[in-house]
Amino acid sequence: MSTTSNAPKKNGIVEWIDYRLPIFTFMNHELREYPTPKNLNYWWNFGSLAGIVLVVMILSGIFLAMNYTAHVDYAFVSVERIMRDVNYGWLLRYIHMNGASMFFLVVYIHIFRGLYYGSYKPPREILWWLGLVILILMMATAFLGYVLPWGQMSFWGATVITNLFSAIPLVGEPIVTWLWGGFSVDNPTLNRFFSLHYLLPFVIVGVVMLHLVALHTHGSNNPLGIDTKKNPKDSIPFHPYYTVKDMFGLGVFLVIYAGFVFFAPNFFGEPVNYVPANPLQTPSEIVPEWYLLPFYAILRSVPDKLAGVIAMFGAIFILFLLPWLDSSKVRSATFRPIYKQLFWIFLADCLVLGWCGAQHPEGAPLLIGRLATAYYFLHFIVLLPLVSKFEKPRPLPESISTPVLKTEKA
Ligand code: HEM
């Protein structure tokens, strides 16, 4: 069969389908012609990267689940069997384990990109909210998944985190019993955690779809933070310009990801989780995975348990209010001299919190953690509203090409 005779026939089928279900027209609009600001830098690669890692996580997870047993007597050994006996089981597990860290790395960069360039500002507030819902779902999924290998950290992590709910007055204890499905973290807990760990990624897929609908409603923000709709010359079609740029970014990302999978597969892991869960022996240190450490530090820096839980959840929920806390009309930090400084201080503050979360909560780390927690909230509640009121932003260019053309003239 010659390829030339095949081509029109293929188009005919595509047309036949498209006439009845315009899926190809839709993809053409949203992935090929889709007008995209022509100045997007590499920080705009991280959304598509997050989407790809999500698919990798779901696929590797499905194959892992085929060989995993969600029972307290078999969970740990079933994971060891995956590592030793299942064909390429070690690869599947290391892809999934390190994929979780890569996913958070990519999404945190994606979020901080949004913070720097003011992508949460009107008209993208709901897009930002949907992103936050994804973040919360990701944290829940990662926590549930970490319990499944039923190692020491799995068991004690689950115990500590579920116990947080007991701080709620009156209904706290019944809620914890309900979550556990009994009076301690045990087989019913493991079972429901597995069920939910399998379910939530698909919920994330659904929310990601909404995220993209919201994104494509007003289009991408850009490093200058100006509206590109007014000037048609500011936009280029998504394909081939950004498909190629995304592919390049994906290549670089895969090298880093594969580096961890093949050369340092336990880099992000906790050695004590290779010890089977033992309800009678508490590990000397109970720490979550690196991506939850800043929130863990906030939890532990408040002396009162309930207040600590409120502060920890508050640290995420305050992000929902960000579009109103930062009311400056100018989006990009490029034109906001004071906000730009605050952005870097805030980033440093989050890293310090991460460090504190991994330390024993006493002495200097505890004090630093408390100061960093106070600064976290100060940033949102006091500094951002003040800066958006009093800062004098630099003048904005009329279009993406204006500053470029001006430089050429000079
Ligand atoms: C599974 C996780 C996620 C996926 C797959 C995803 C996907 C995407 C994609 C493909 C884009 C367009 C490309 C880009 O701007 O980088 C985007 C934009 C955006 N995302 Fe996400 N996202 C995720 C999580 C989040 C989270 C957690 C937040 C914030 C809390 C967020 C906030 C935003 C914002 C504000 C934009 C618009 C950026 C702009 O136009 O400047 N996303 N997302």
Side-chain angles (χ1 to χ4, degrees), residues 26-47:
F26 174 78
M27 279 175 14
N28 192 42
H29 274 161
E30 303 303 321
L31 291 171
R32 282 180 71 94
E33 302 166 351
Y34 177 63
T36 316
K38 64 180 177 189
N39 62 342
L40 295 189
N41 57 31
Y42 277 108
W43 299 114
W44 265 261
N45 276 50
F46 287 85

Side-chain angles (χ1 to χ4, degrees), residues 81-341:
R81 199 182 147 272
I82 289 171
M83 294 297 287
R84 292 151 201 260
D85 297 338
V86 172
N87 289 340
Y88 294 102
W90 60 272
L91 183 59
L92 274 178
R93 177 157 188 252
Y94 282 155
I95 285 176
H96 200 73
M97 254 170 72
N98 288 283
S101 283
M102 291 295 121
F103 199 8
F104 275 95
L105 186 67
V106 165
V107 167
Y108 280 145
I109 295 176
H110 187 63
I111 295 174
F112 276 92
R113 182 284 314 265
L115 292 178
Y116 188 86
Y117 293 111
S119 298
Y120 49 83
K121 286 173 181 274
R124 298 185 182 81
E125 301 95 319
I126 295 188
L127 169 64
W128 174 253
W129 282 353
L130 290 165
L132 291 173
V133 172
I134 296 173
L135 179 67
I136 294 168
L137 288 169
M138 277 175 65
M139 287 177 172
T141 310
F143 162 69
L144 295 167
Y146 196 60
V147 179
L148 303 184
W150 209 242
Q152 271 290 67
M153 205 55 93
S154 305
F155 178 85
W156 288 100
T159 305
V160 169
I161 300 300
T162 47
N163 251 315
L164 292 179
F165 290 91
S166 69
I168 304 170
L170 297 172
V171 286
E173 292 292 342
I175 288 180
V176 176
T177 313
W178 177 73
L179 286 175
W180 286 342
F183 297 101
S184 66
V185 173
D186 208 332
N187 204 43
T189 327
L190 180 60
N191 246 293
R192 60 192 55 196
F193 277 24
F194 179 47
S195 165
L196 291 173
H197 182 68
Y198 207 133
L199 170 73
L200 287 189
F202 296 95
V203 179
I204 295 179
V205 171
V207 186
V208 166
M209 303 250 177
L210 295 177
H211 191 66
L212 295 182
V213 173
L215 175 77
H216 282 216
T217 304
H218 290 283
S220 286
N221 181 27
N222 64 82
L224 296 176
I226 55 172
D227 287 327
T228 51
K229 287 256 164 72
K230 291 181 215 149
N231 189 345
K233 282 195 181 154
D234 278 354
S235 297
I236 46 175
F238 192 81
H239 179 76
Y241 300 103
Y242 288 110
T243 37
V244 166
K245 196 166 178 170
D246 278 351
M247 283 300 144
F248 175 71
L250 176 64
V252 174
F253 169 76
L254 287 180
V255 170
I256 298 168
Y257 186 3
F260 282 110
V261 169
F262 293 107
F263 297 103
N266 289 300
F267 178 81
F268 297 108
E270 189 59 52
V272 79
N273 220 29
Y274 281 104
V275 176
N278 181 356
L280 300 178
Q281 189 190 42
T282 318
S284 56
E285 214 63 72
I286 302 174
V287 277
E289 293 275 86
W290 69 267
Y291 38 80
L292 299 176
L293 287 174
F295 300 100
Y296 195 53
I298 293 177
L299 170 78
R300 294 199 299 182
S301 68
V302 184
D304 178 68
K305 190 174 170 184
L306 178 61
V309 173
I310 293 172
M312 183 177 73
F313 285 110
I316 299 174
F317 283 105
I318 202 159
L319 292 168
F320 282 90
L321 304 179
L322 184 57
W324 294 273
L325 293 170
D326 172 12
S327 58
S328 167
K329 293 275 174 289
V330 176
R331 292 197 189 98
S332 174
T334 313
F335 301 101
R336 302 185 60 192
I338 304 176
Y339 175 75
K340 192 194 271 184
Q341 316 250 358

Side-chain angles (χ1 to χ4, degrees), residues 301 349 352-353 356 364-378:
S301 68
D349 188 62
V352 168
L353 278 172
C356 293
L366 180 63
L367 179 68
I368 297 171
R370 286 187 172 157
L371 293 173
T373 300
Y375 184 81
Y376 185 97
F377 289 102
L378 187 82

